[in-house]
Amino acid sequence: EVVALASSRSIGTEVSYGDKTLKVTNLDTYDFSDTDICLMSAGGAVSQKYSPKIGREGCVVIDNSSAWRYDADVPLIVPEVNADAIAQFSKKNIIANPNCSTAQLVVALKPLHDHAKIKRIVVSTYQSVSGAGKDGMDELFNQTRAVFVADPIES
């Protein structure tokens, strides 16, 4: 069973999941004691607040934010690269994953590193402003408009 969870302001909102429509349930009051896995992708602040509580209820949190990436008690996992490190998840019942560009990069680099040790790599990434959400998109719109009408550009 898949359950859509969000803040109280989104209760009752409908989201699509495959060919189904799910009604959003309140994250604040959801009982995770009978849940196996929580896929957390709500940002670092939300994950820091809720993931430990969810983990204590016995549910394993797989977190997509930056909140747990540097926590020594939370394994940072890319299954194709270090699946064996997943055994460490039980300290907090939380598993972290790196950001999107890092995950795909290390999958490609792992076999190269295994064959001939990589000592240094320089990477540049370019990511969409939509990753910053509505505020980021609004800022880009306003800055683009300012360029075209010769107004000052505000960050």
Side-chain angles (χ1 to χ4, degrees), residues 60-154:
V60 177
V61 177
I62 301 175
D63 182 56
N64 194 40
S65 77
S66 60
W68 304 101
R69 291 178 183 157
Y70 295 101
D71 187 309
D73 292 331
V74 175
L76 180 64
I77 302 293
V78 176
E80 298 84 354
V81 175
N82 66 336
D84 56 318
I86 202 151
Q88 301 169 29
F89 86 93
S90 61
K91 291 179 182 174
K92 291 187 177 179
N93 271 359
I94 302 172
I95 298 168
N97 64 276
N99 75 5
C100 53
S101 55
T102 301
Q104 63 185 347
L105 182 64
V106 298
V107 169
L109 291 176
K110 174 73 163 100
L112 297 173
H113 180 71
D114 289 346
H115 182 71
K117 301 298 180 213
I118 296 172
K119 294 180 182 173
R120 180 173 183 241
I121 188 162
V122 177
V123 177
S124 297
T125 65
Y126 304 89
Q127 298 183 25
S128 171
V129 73
S130 63
K134 182 182 180 321
D135 290 341
M137 294 294 292
D138 289 345
E139 180 178 344
L140 176 62
F141 175 83
N142 292 329
Q143 290 172 342
T144 303
R145 184 191 167 283
V147 167
F148 285 112
V149 298
D151 282 348
I153 298 172
E154 297 179 17

Side-chain angles (χ1 to χ4, degrees), residues 11-32:
I11 294 173
T13 302
E14 294 183 343
V15 295
S16 61
Y17 173 72
D19 59 353
K20 297 179 182 179
T21 300
L22 305 175
K23 285 200 181 243
V24 172
T25 303
N26 190 350
L27 174 62
D28 284 323
T29 58
Y30 189 77
D31 178 9
F32 285 90

